[in-house]
Amino acid sequence: FLSFTACDAPAIVEPGENTTTEVPEDGFRFFQTECNAFSISVVIEQIDLYGKCSLYASNVIPNPGPLDDHSLVVRNEDKTKDKRSVILKLSKKIKKIIYISIRGVELKNLFSVIIWDVIFNEEFYVVNALEGVVDVTIFNLNDELSIVGQSFSYRIKKGNEGGEFEINNTTGELVVREPLNIYVQSYYILEIVAENINASCHRGRVKIKVIVVRNQ
């Protein structure tokens, strides 16, 4: 890691992989990663495990910070929440480097940072599922891909602890596998990860809210 007083190379963080580290008050931790040519934009997410941090990112300036030009650096300095994110649009170059800086705000700060490719048309979808009806497709993620010419493998990461849903790992079809009961649970929020088959380190994430509706 690169502190605010050092001149070492920044740490490498792989897209879709969670990296956790500490940063002191007014100190910096610098990261970088390289995206594939197909990447259009990425979401950089930073979570405070304790303390508070600020997030800066650029695809132009190494080690971006609060004093850099706003047209070259995206930032999130919101201290009212424990999670902050930015969307960084990438250039059309074949080699796309992303530079990330995390600044510590409080005396002691522990944080995690993760990068997701933006591969879907939306970050959040809402769909309906009929109560008591199983083996029916309620959504197809392949239809929502914003990147053409790439194949993805899908898996449900969160929200399916009871096994009510299943996703086809190649077609992206989301299917109800267990009868849903609106009186037991009226909605589910599923977090689904899509991994590029040709470049497994590049992953996208999407959330789907499934609302259980009565089968009239």
Side-chain angles (χ1 to χ4, degrees), residues 164-176:
E164 294 89 354
F165 305 92
E166 181 179 288
I167 191 164
N168 186 298
N169 67 342
T170 56
T171 67
E173 292 178 309
L174 182 63
V175 178
V176 179

Side-chain angles (χ1 to χ4, degrees), residues 84-147:
R84 54 198 59 83
S85 63
V86 295
I87 296 178
L88 183 64
K89 293 183 178 180
L90 304 180
S91 66
K92 295 182 179 180
K93 297 178 181 178
I94 298 299
K95 188 175 182 180
K96 303 176 181 182
I97 304 295
I98 298 171
Y99 305 101
I100 304 166
S101 299
I102 308 296
R103 181 186 184 187
V105 175
E106 298 187 354
L107 185 61
K108 292 184 177 181
N109 310 277
L110 180 70
F111 68 90
S112 66
V113 62
I114 190 168
I115 303 169
W116 300 100
D117 277 296
V118 177
I119 63 175
F120 298 105
N121 295 321
E122 305 288 342
E123 294 183 52
F124 189 84
Y125 293 92
V126 179
V127 299
N128 293 334
L130 286 175
E131 184 180 30
V133 178
V134 297
D135 298 331
V136 59
T137 299
I138 57 174
F139 199 68
N140 191 325
L141 280 171
N142 269 358
D143 293 339
E144 296 298 322
L145 290 172
S146 60
I147 297 174

Side-chain angles (χ1 to χ4, degrees), residues 160-192:
N160 193 38
E161 290 75 15
E164 294 89 354
F165 305 92
E166 181 179 288
I167 191 164
N168 186 298
N169 67 342
T170 56
T171 67
E173 292 178 309
L174 182 63
V175 178
V176 179
R177 287 303 185 205
E178 297 292 335
L180 305 179
N181 187 326
I182 195 172
Y183 297 106
V184 174
Q185 191 165 342
S186 60
Y187 70 90
Y188 299 79
I189 296 182
L190 306 177
E191 183 176 315
I192 297 173

